[in-house]
Amino acid sequence: MYRVESKNVLTPQNGLNIYVGRTENSILLTEIRDGDPMEIGVKYDAPELLAGALKSRRSKGMILLGNLGDPYNSHEEELGLVRKCLKIIEYYDYGVIINTYQKAVLRDLDILSGIAAKTKAVVEISLPTLDDDKLSLIDGEETMTVDERFEVIETLSHEGIKVIVRLDPLIPFVNDDENELAEMIDRLIRYDIPGIDLSEGRLMVRNAVRDFFYQQFKERFPEEYDRFISQYEATGEMYIRNCQETVKHLGEIISSSGKLFDTKQLRLYKRKYENKQMGEQMTLF
């Protein structure tokens, strides 16, 4: 681990990056520091900086955790920085959006329920496949299994916490079969969740980790990689096969259940700040 020094704990879009980097052996990383894909940065003073930032603000909004590193990585149990920050978010009546791959999010169910009672608490969970073996190769063995992801979805939803499921990362020839995606959606629409994000059938690979991604793609899924590379270029943007038709078909299935599927609409939904005690207002990042 290394210490991340910063005077500002929040990004201009209200992103709260307590941890930077991934500790799980994921095929898709956010950054690689000093050539080590498992290195992670920590903002140890995040709770103090967050309290100072929110105390001085007049308008409320949604705080986003987890866009550069999983908040519930293996170090959080010892450090407890996320829990401290969530208590501050609840105290100042802000909403929260958490992006995680870990069942440990249930540790903070008490605080998230408190936030949800006053405003809105959203947890984003990815579900790229229903195959556990394939899932461990995509997200890493230390992340939630398929069954655990469904258990977390049910538990959080029961407590009034909104869950958005992202079908990503979708990698051509690996987990982009339309029938398999339709099966996932069929299971998900049975749950009381606001939306299933299809990510437009697109996967963006950051330039800083592009070489790593394609190397891992080749090592973890050699046959699928050969099929991919014979038809596409190894760029920073890839689309699932028959992207337009598949996204349209799957979107229709999701929409018919009364849930959102469009990435832009879901982004607006997440960023909408609600005050359940004094009506609601729209506050974007």
Side-chain angles (χ1 to χ4, degrees), residues 28 127-129 138 166-177 181 184 197-204 213 238-240 246-247 250:
L28 190 65
L127 183 66
T129 177
I138 294 174
R166 303 188 327 274
L167 303 190
D168 71 24
L170 293 178
I171 305 171
F173 301 104
V174 174
N175 61 329
D176 68 335
D177 180 80
L181 292 174
M184 282 197 290
D197 193 347
L198 297 178
S199 302
E200 301 174 337
R202 179 177 62 174
L203 174 62
M204 298 295 295
F213 170 78
M238 61 174 62
Y239 292 85
I240 61 175
T246 299
V247 170
L250 298 179

Side-chain angles (χ1 to χ4, degrees), residues 123-254:
V123 174
E124 289 191 89
I125 296 174
S126 75
L127 183 66
T129 177
L130 295 177
D131 183 326
D132 272 315
D133 291 334
K134 191 180 292 185
L135 180 62
S136 66
L137 290 172
I138 294 174
D139 281 348
E141 295 180 355
E142 296 181 0
T143 60
M144 288 184 284
T145 65
V146 172
D147 286 343
E148 285 176 333
R149 296 184 195 219
F150 281 106
E151 291 172 7
V152 169
I153 291 169
E154 184 172 10
T155 300
L156 292 173
S157 299
H158 183 265
E159 295 297 325
I161 297 154
K162 305 300 182 182
V163 179
I164 293 175
V165 180
R166 303 188 327 274
L167 303 190
D168 71 24
L170 293 178
I171 305 171
F173 301 104
V174 174
N175 61 329
D176 68 335
D177 180 80
E178 184 173 349
N179 292 329
E180 294 180 7
L181 292 174
E183 182 182 355
M184 282 197 290
I185 290 170
D186 181 63
R187 287 188 62 177
L188 287 169
I189 60 179
R190 304 172 195 176
Y191 292 84
D192 183 20
I193 59 178
I196 303 168
D197 193 347
L198 297 178
S199 302
E200 301 174 337
R202 179 177 62 174
L203 174 62
M204 298 295 295
V205 184
R206 293 172 181 262
N207 185 56
V209 297
R210 194 168 300 168
D211 291 341
F212 172 87
F213 170 78
Y214 282 104
Q215 176 188 356
Q216 294 300 309
F217 186 1
K218 184 176 182 179
E219 291 180 2
R220 302 182 193 202
F221 303 99
E223 294 182 7
E224 293 84 351
Y225 175 82
D226 287 342
R227 294 175 65 187
F228 170 81
I229 211 68
S230 68
Q231 299 184 37
Y232 305 99
E233 294 183 8
T235 64
E237 185 175 41
M238 61 174 62
Y239 292 85
I240 61 175
R241 291 169 290 170
N242 304 314
C243 183
Q244 188 172 5
E245 297 82 359
T246 299
V247 170
K248 180 180 179 181
H249 175 227
L250 298 179
E252 290 172 349
I253 297 175
I254 298 171

